[in-house]
Amino acid sequence: MIYFSKPYISNLEFRNVQNVLKSGVLTDGFYQNLTEKIIKKKIKSKYIALTQSCSDALELACLLIDLKPGDEVIMPSYTFTSTANCVALRGAKPVFIDIKADDMCIDSDQIEKMITKKTKAIIVVHYGGKCMDLKKIIKLKNKHKLYVIEDAAHSFLSKYKNKFAGTIGDIGVFSFHETKNLVGSQGGAISINNKRFLNRVDNLLDKGTDRASFLKDYKKQFIQEKTKKTKSKKYYSWVDIGSEYRATEIVSALIYSQLKKEKIISAKRKKIWSTYKNFFSKLRDKQLSILDNENKNHKNSYHLFIIKIKSLKFAQELRKYLQKNKIPATFHYVPLHSSYYGKKFKCSKMSVTNDIWEKIIRLPIYPEMSEKNINYILKKIKKFLG
């Protein structure tokens, strides 16, 4: 079976992980601090923290906006469970919205009619590697005094015009899971773009303690002359709720290593993605189209390559045929509104989501994918189409 996705690991990752182990500093160390600074500068964020996962970053975002039981959060139904779990864990209620067929991102035109007095936030999902245009959603945010959280798990370093995904709303989250473009085992990150959250975020990240401010004061005190008096605290303490959200040094070292190779990884993914696109553009088969999120306004991360198929039967037959030939062609999310747990929550009309989710096929894409494998996949697809 051809891999569906595979991390691009080299000697750099081994060296940096060994450096961590040799140092004896396994948390809150050199790589965590350096990697956060690099990402912050790269995407022009006000604040970046590495987390143990994107799911952790989403849960942290819900704590920051003070989500409470009874609150409602609007989001697409076509997303991973983490997008809704972070809301449900706070006792709040997801409200599911349909997606647009062209980019498979949340349908901005359906949001306002689902806003109520209980609505606290909107979570958007930048699907497949695109950074969606958030102008309409930001207008709704300002009009109804809501928060906007960007789930950019697929779209680290994607851009809409001159802004990076994860830096447009109040909070953005990223994934460095082993299935993503840049990997840190199960790492993630949170981007804070609303200044009102900056005073609290470190406390939540540090298990509810004021450890970060204490260490900052301690360092200032350490470099002061002995003759000068200081009012710095001599200990840190419990000041808020929180949890163990911060990424370890090993995870941070992996993400740092991947960032050093980001241009290479991106170029390799783009080349494969473009090869697929060129193949399908020449077919001109009325049964098939592709999810094409690449244009002058959008810088794509080339995370997914997706075929959209008109007929469910055709999609099922093609998927089965490819899998039989050792090609891991799969659909993606089972819509949350149709799932066992998701049925208890409100949703808009889901005409696009219901129609499309079983009729897409994701093709393998990863940096070390060989031309031989790519040509084999395309040859099999061509044979199936006759």
Side-chain angles (χ1 to χ4, degrees), residues 353-366:
T353 303
N354 289 337
D355 178 65
I356 206 171
W357 74 273
E358 283 188 283
K359 296 193 294 189
I360 69 156
I361 293 177
R362 295 183 295 157
L363 293 183
I365 180 169
Y366 54 91

Side-chain angles (χ1 to χ4, degrees), residues 4 26 33 67 91 161 212 219 224 229 248 288 306 315 370:
F4 180 76
L26 303 184
N33 185 48
L67 201 60
K161 294 186 176 178
K219 288 174 184 177
Q224 284 176 337
K229 293 182 179 180
T248 66
L288 304 174
I306 289 178
S370 67

Side-chain angles (χ1 to χ4, degrees), residues 138-192:
I138 296 301
K139 284 182 180 178
L140 290 175
K141 158 194 157 59
N142 294 332
K143 179 180 177 181
H144 295 279
K145 298 180 180 178
L146 307 174
Y147 295 112
V148 170
I149 298 169
E150 298 175 70
D151 183 339
H154 294 179
S155 301
F156 180 65
L157 299 183
S158 294
K159 292 172 79 174
Y160 176 71
K161 294 186 176 178
N162 64 338
K163 290 192 174 182
F164 286 93
T167 67
I168 305 164
D170 296 284
I171 300 170
V173 299
F174 307 107
S175 175
F176 300 108
H177 186 271
E178 69 168 0
T179 58
K180 299 302 188 292
N181 294 17
L182 306 183
V183 304
S185 65
Q186 280 191 317
I190 187 166
S191 169
I192 306 296

Side-chain angles (χ1 to χ4, degrees), residues 323-338:
Q323 290 171 354
K324 185 179 179 181
N325 283 278
K326 301 187 184 301
I327 299 167
T330 65
F331 59 84
H332 206 180
Y333 308 122
V334 176
L336 296 181
H337 76 277
S338 66

Side-chain angles (χ1 to χ4, degrees), residues 4-17:
F4 180 76
S5 66
K6 185 182 177 186
Y8 185 51
I9 303 297
S10 66
N11 288 335
L12 183 61
E13 283 79 5
F14 284 96
R15 285 200 304 271
N16 286 328
V17 169

